Amino acid sequence: MAKHDHAKAGHVTETPDVSHIMNVDVTHEASDVSVEGIAKFIVGLTIVTAVTFGLMWIFFNVLNRQAAKEDAGIAAPGPMARTEEERLPPEPRLQQAKGFGVKLENGEVINLDSLTTPAQPQAEYRQLHQQWQETLQNGRTDASGRQLAIPIKDAMKRILESNTLQVRPPSENGSPEMQLPTAASAGRETARAQ
């Protein structure tokens, strides 16, 4: 029955009211933590953070405006900036790579990179073939005006006019004489065959 009586009396672990008790030796020590100092530090830190944020925002806006001017071509590039050609990889460049092209014999450069034209792998050959055909048809001269190549029709006419085509002399039986290498010479000496 004793257990039952305790349950009716209330909860045993309840904390009694001790607000009337005061111990003079156990009080708040003002020298341990200064609330005023902490508050001043937080206010100062907030102000420094806001000023730093504002300065960085202004700095990045200045840099963004400067970059926009350079992209638009308004501002001059820096003295150490490399030109577009200096940024390209060294020759020979791969097809479809930036800066890939064909330099013709007259000094003209035809750009075949995939960034400017939709070049196919045959584009380089087509440009060179076109240049070769032009040389065959019209000839070619260097910068000083000296003729380096003549048109193929003119070359054929000159050969026929100069009569420099040599024909093998006929053999005794009337057919042209042929020289064939012997088996023992391994191609170094030839034997006359008819």
Side-chain angles (χ1 to χ4, degrees):
M1 283 245 234
K3 290 181 182 179
H4 190 356
D5 290 337
H6 286 303
K8 286 184 181 180
H11 193 19
V12 179
T13 59
E14 194 173 300
T15 306
D17 183 23
V18 289
S19 60
H20 62 281
I21 302 173
M22 183 149 177
N23 187 348
V24 180
D25 294 333
V26 182
T27 61
H28 172 68
E29 180 60 45
S31 65
D32 286 346
V33 175
S34 171
V35 176
E36 183 181 344
I38 291 174
K40 287 179 182 178
F41 175 76
I42 290 173
V43 168
L45 184 63
T46 305
I47 291 171
V48 168
T49 303
V51 168
T52 304
F53 175 78
L55 289 174
M56 287 296 107
W57 184 75
I58 292 169
F59 179 66
F60 277 110
N61 280 337
V62 168
L63 290 179
N64 284 337
R65 273 189 250 121
Q66 183 179 0
K69 285 180 183 177
E70 287 177 5
D71 290 343
I74 298 170
M80 297 297 290
R82 296 189 302 173
T83 63
E84 185 68 30
E85 192 170 313
E86 289 173 336
R87 290 186 202 140
L88 294 176
E91 292 283 349
R93 295 186 186 104
L94 297 175
Q95 286 182 339
Q96 306 273 330
K98 185 174 183 180
F100 175 72
V102 177
K103 186 173 184 179
L104 302 178
E105 292 171 351
N106 63 2
E108 180 186 355
V109 177
I110 298 176
N111 196 358
L112 296 174
D113 65 10
S114 61
L115 301 177
T116 57
T117 58
Q120 296 109 10
Q122 305 87 358
E124 179 183 15
Y125 172 73
R126 288 185 188 130
Q127 289 296 325
L128 290 174
H129 188 266
Q130 180 181 355
Q131 179 184 353
W132 295 335
Q133 290 300 320
E134 186 177 320
T135 300
L136 285 175
Q137 299 301 319
N138 305 325
R140 188 178 70 214
T141 58
D142 62 3
S144 64
R146 187 177 58 153
Q147 192 167 20
L148 300 174
I150 60 174
I152 195 162
K153 291 179 181 177
D154 293 346
M156 289 190 294
K157 285 179 187 175
R158 285 186 187 182
I159 288 177
L160 290 176
E161 289 171 358
S162 68
N163 200 13
T164 57
L165 293 177
Q166 297 180 0
V167 181
R168 292 186 188 132
S171 63
E172 295 170 1
N173 64 0
S175 65
E177 194 173 288
M178 281 181 23
Q179 297 181 349
L180 300 174
T182 63
S185 72
R188 291 186 300 265
E189 297 176 11
T190 57
R192 296 187 181 261
Q194 294 179 5

